[in-house]
Amino acid sequence: MTSNDFSSARPTPRHDLESSSAATVSAGPDPGPSPADLLRRLRARSAGDPVTHVERVPARAGVPAPWPSWAPVELRAAFTRRGVVAPWQHQAEAANLAYEGEHVVVATGTASGKSLAYQLPALATLLADPRATVLYLAPTKALAADQLRSVAALELEGVRPACYDGDTPRAEREWIRRHSRFVLTNPDMLHHGVLPGHAQWSGFLRRLAYVVIDECHTYRGVFGSHVAHVLRRLRRQCARFGATPVFVLASATSGDPATAAGRLTGLPVTAVTEDASPRGGVTFALWEPPLLPPDSSASSAVPAQATGGHDGATDLIQVRRSALRETADLLADTVAEGVRTLAFVRSRKGAEVVAASARRALDDAVPGLGDRVAAYRGGYLREERRELERALLHGDLLGLASTNALELGVDLVGLDAVLICGYPGTRASLWQQAGRAGRSGQEALAVLVARDDPLDTYLVHHPEAIFGAPVEATVLDPTNPYVLAPQLACAAVEAPLTPADLALFGDGAKEAVDELVAAGALRQRPTGWYWRHRERPEVDLRGQGGAPVCVVESSTGRLLGTVDGGSSHFLLHSGAVHLHQGVSYVVDELDLADGCALVHAEEPDWSTHARDVTDLSVVSVRSYVDAGPVGMFLGEVDVTSQVVSYQRRRIATGEVIDTRPLDLPTRELRTVAVWFTLSPQSLALAGVQSADVPGALHAAEHAAIGLLPLMATCDRWDIGGLSTAVHPDTEAPTVFVYDGHPGGAGFAERAYGTASAWLRATRDAIAECGCEAGCPSCVQSPKCGNGNNPLSKPDAIRVLDVVLANLPA
C-alpha cells in the first residue's frame, strides 16, 4: 500500500440497519464499492498477487414462520416496532421447543437472529407470569451489555432487565437482586457472586423459568469444563428452592451441538440447526502475504537436545511479510475507501499494533483521517470499551482492530468488510468473525490474512479444509479432576454435598470428594460433606494462571488496564514493552505478590520477546498403540517451565539487540499429553543421521503443534510441546504435545484419537512448503523457547513418514 492510494477526502460514515431477526431487510444507503471491486483494488495495490483462493458464498433467501399462538400481543407488537414482522423458521422452532419445556440449543450462523429464539419464550413467560424470572449468561461483558440494549429497547412493562457483572455499581446490585426479572450476567459473576450469595438471590432463583446460555460454543477446554460445573451448581441451588428452569442455548454452527450442549449443562438437549434466515452474499478471500527478499543477517542460536515451551520468540528471520503489517495496510486501504471494516487480531498487542499502523498510514495521506481507526481489546476499562462500541455503532469510527472480544454476538451494524489476521484457531470462530460483516443482507467481503504459521499456510493452499469441511465439535471435559474437585469444594461452601449431588456432578465426583476429605478440605457427617474452612476456595474459571495483574502508570498511579495472570510472566516482565491504546510503555517492575506491574511511557525503537525453558516427565499412561518401531501414547505428564530471559529487537529490522536475563519463579503443570516414540533403528533406516535427530524431532513437534487446531477446538497457544533425541522416561526419540492447562483440556485426547489424520496433515504442510530449510510457514514456531534451533525440515518429513507408515489408520 502506498499513501497516494488513499482518497483525498474523509469518507462519509454510513448507518445501516440491523435486521438479522426480522423478516424484512433494509437496503440502507449506497454501500460503496462492491466486495468484488474492493478486493480487486486491494489486490492491485499489493506486490504480486497475494490471493490464493476466492470463495463465493451465495446469498440465501429467508424462510419466515408465523408467530407462535402463545406469544402475547404486546410482545409481537414490540418486536414489530423494531422491524421484526415475523420470526424465521428456526427461531419459531426453537422458541416452541423451549416454551413447551424442552431444553434446546439453536446452532445457526452469525446474524441468524438466535437472540429472538430465546427472547420470545423467555419474555412471553415473564409477561404471562408476573413472578417469573430469567437468567441470561454471556461469555463477555460486551455481549451482555448489547443484549441488555436489545431487551430494554422492547420497552416491555414489568420486565426490568439489568446487567449484573463486575462493572455494576454496588449501589445498584441490591436493587437488581430484589427487582430485576431479566438478569444478564456472565459465568464468572455467577460463580463469584450469585451462587455464593444464593440466600440473597433466593427469590430470583425460586422463580427462575429460563436460563439462557449465549454463544455456548465458546465454553470449551478448561473454561468450558468449569462452566459446566457452575451450571450444575446453579441447577442444584434452583432445585433446593423448588425450581427447574428450562435451558436455552445459542451457538455458532458447530459439530454435534446437542452433545456439546448436553455435556455443558448435564441435561438432554435438542438441537435446531437448519438456518432459515436470509444471508447476503460473501466474497471470501484467502490472502498470503508476499515473500520478503532473502536476508543473511539472521542471528544464531544455541543448539539444544530438548526443546519446548509456551511462549518466546524466534531467532530466525521471517520470510514472509508480517500478517500484522499486511492487515494494517488493508485496514487503512478499506477505511480510505469509505468501507466500514473490522479487523480481528489474535493478540492484544497485535490489535494495538494494527490500529496504530493503520492510523499512521491514514494520517500520512490525509491528516486527521487516522482518528477514524481505533483498537478494541480486553483489559480496557469499562468506560473505554463502551465509548468504542458507541463510536463504531454511530459511525464515528470507520475501522476497528479488535481481539476476539468482538467476535461474539455484539450487534455491530452496517459493517462492509472483515479482515481476519491469522486463522483464529477453529472454523467455528472463522465463520463467526467473517459473519460480522454484511449483517443487513448486503454483500460483504471477508479476508483471511495468513500468518507465517504451518496451519495458516496449509489452509490458504488447501481451501477445501475451510470451505469443504464441517465445523468442529466443542471439546470440554467436566471429569477433569483439576476442575471437578475445586468445583465440588465451591458447591460444598454453598450447601453441604449429599450423595444425590454426586450424581449431578457426574463421573469422578465420589473420588474427588474422597480426595477433598483426605486433604482436610471436607468433613463427612451423616447428613453430607461439609466445607471445613472459613474462606472460600479460590477457583479461576478461565484457567489463566491466577488473578489479573494490574498495569499501573508509575508517575500518576493511573490504572491502564489488566493482563491475565498466566500471561504476566511473558508480557509484563521487567523491561517488557507494553502497548495500551496505541501508547507504548516500558515495565519498570512486576510485583507478582501484589498483582501489579508499574510502567512508564516510552517509545523505544525495539520490541521485547520473552524466552523460557521447559522440562517434562511422564506420570502415567492412559492408552497406547504399539506399532512396531513406533509407539503412540496418551497419558498424564508433569511440565515445569520458567521464563528465563527476553530479547530486545529493532522494530524496523528485527535485528536482535541483546538478550537480558530474568529472575522469575518456575511454574509447574500436571496435564495430559499425547506423544510418539520411534526406534533409533527406524530413523537410521529412513536416512536420519544421529546428529540430525534433535532437529528432525524439533521440526516435527513445531509443525504438529501448528496443525493440531485443524482437528480440535484449540489454537497453538492452548498447547505446548517438547522433543528430545532420548527422553529418560521413554528411553527413545520422543515428541510430546501437551495441553497447556492443569488436568488437560481435551485437546490431547482429540489428537490421540485422530493421530493418523493429524500427522498426515502435518507431514503434507511441511512437504508442500516452498522454503528450502524451514520457515515459520512450516517448522518454525513463534513460541519456541530455544530460538527455533536445531531444526531440520527434510528430516522432519522422514520422521513423519516413519510414523505414518507404521501407525494404524
Side-chain angles (χ1 to χ4, degrees), residues 518-594:
L522 296 181
R523 176 184 289 117
Q524 185 172 9
R525 293 178 177 172
T527 52
W529 291 272
Y530 288 74
W531 180 248
R532 296 187 60 179
H533 304 295
R534 178 172 298 179
E535 63 280 350
R536 288 179 51 82
E538 290 290 333
V539 179
D540 177 13
L541 293 190
R542 297 178 186 263
Q544 294 175 325
V549 175
C550 297
V551 183
V552 177
E553 190 172 29
S554 302
S555 58
T556 64
R558 180 168 64 104
L559 175 65
L560 298 177
T562 60
V563 169
D564 66 85
S567 301
S568 60
H569 287 212
F570 298 104
L571 302 180
L572 294 177
H573 57 78
S574 297
V577 176
H578 176 75
L579 290 178
H580 181 80
Q581 284 284 45
V583 178
S584 177
Y585 297 84
V586 174
V587 178
D588 299 316
E589 179 187 357
L590 172 61
D591 189 333
L592 292 171
D594 289 339

Side-chain angles (χ1 to χ4, degrees), residues 81 137 182 267 278 306 377 469 474 523 542 547 577 634 786:
R81 286 194 299 271
L137 297 174
F182 196 120
L267 295 164
R377 61 172 176 79
T474 302
R523 176 184 289 117
R542 297 178 186 263
V577 176
L634 177 73
N786 279 74

Side-chain angles (χ1 to χ4, degrees), residues 103 213 227-228 231-232 235 247-249 258-269 476 504:
H103 308 295
I213 305 173
V227 173
L231 295 177
R232 285 159 175 77
R235 289 173 52 205
F247 282 73
V248 186
L249 302 95
T259 298
R263 191 178 297 121
L264 183 66
T265 60
L267 295 164
V269 179
L476 67 151
L504 173 67

Side-chain angles (χ1 to χ4, degrees), residues 146-272:
D146 183 76
Q147 282 295 302
L148 174 63
R149 289 190 290 266
S150 174
V151 174
L154 295 172
E155 299 179 338
L156 297 169
E157 185 175 354
V159 172
R160 299 188 293 274
C163 269
Y164 188 86
D165 58 31
D167 292 336
T168 305
R170 295 203 170 272
E172 296 180 16
R173 296 187 180 188
E174 178 63 23
W175 184 93
I176 293 171
R177 285 193 292 266
R178 290 180 175 273
H179 302 293
S180 176
R181 300 177 60 217
F182 196 120
V183 173
L184 302 100
T185 187
N186 51 64
D188 307 83
M189 199 65 178
L190 180 62
H191 164 63
H192 289 292
V194 176
L195 292 174
H198 57 83
Q200 296 173 298
W201 286 89
S202 60
F204 182 90
L205 295 175
R206 185 175 288 111
R207 304 189 300 270
L208 189 60
Y210 289 95
V211 177
V212 177
I213 305 173
D214 208 352
E215 305 291 2
C216 66
H217 64 282
T218 63
Y219 300 123
R220 61 177 179 82
V222 169
F223 180 41
S225 302
H226 273 295
V227 173
H229 287 299
V230 172
L231 295 177
R232 285 159 175 77
R233 287 162 50 201
L234 172 65
R235 289 173 52 205
R236 177 173 178 251
Q237 289 302 324
C238 289
R240 292 180 68 236
F241 292 120
T244 55
V246 174
F247 282 73
V248 186
L249 302 95
S251 170
T253 304
S254 65
D256 199 2
T259 298
R263 191 178 297 121
L264 183 66
T265 60
L267 295 164
V269 179
T270 301
V272 175

Side-chain angles (χ1 to χ4, degrees), residues 434-468:
R436 295 291 91 185
R439 296 195 58 163
S440 298
Q442 74 268 28
E443 297 285 315
L445 175 67
V447 180
L448 171 62
V449 181
R451 293 167 302 153
D452 234 348
D453 173 272
L455 180 55
D456 286 40
T457 302
Y458 180 87
L459 291 173
V460 295
H461 291 285
H462 292 80
E464 71 279 1
I466 294 176
F467 302 108

Side-chain angles (χ1 to χ4, degrees), residues 379-468:
Y380 282 0
L381 302 180
R382 178 193 187 190
E383 294 76 14
E384 293 176 308
R385 296 195 306 270
R386 298 295 176 264
E387 175 56 26
L388 288 168
E389 293 163 17
R390 185 208 63 78
L392 185 66
L393 288 171
H394 289 80
D396 298 334
L397 290 174
L398 279 177
L400 200 63
S402 172
T403 61
N404 62 0
L406 286 180
E407 173 184 319
L408 305 179
V410 178
D411 189 4
L412 303 177
V413 297
L415 296 179
D416 307 302
V418 165
L419 308 173
I420 303 170
C421 181
Y423 182 64
T426 66
R427 284 180 289 271
S429 288
L430 181 73
W431 288 110
Q432 191 80 352
Q433 292 181 3
R436 295 291 91 185
R439 296 195 58 163
S440 298
Q442 74 268 28
E443 297 285 315
L445 175 67
V447 180
L448 171 62
V449 181
R451 293 167 302 153
D452 234 348
D453 173 272
L455 180 55
D456 286 40
T457 302
Y458 180 87
L459 291 173
V460 295
H461 291 285
H462 292 80
E464 71 279 1
I466 294 176
F467 302 108

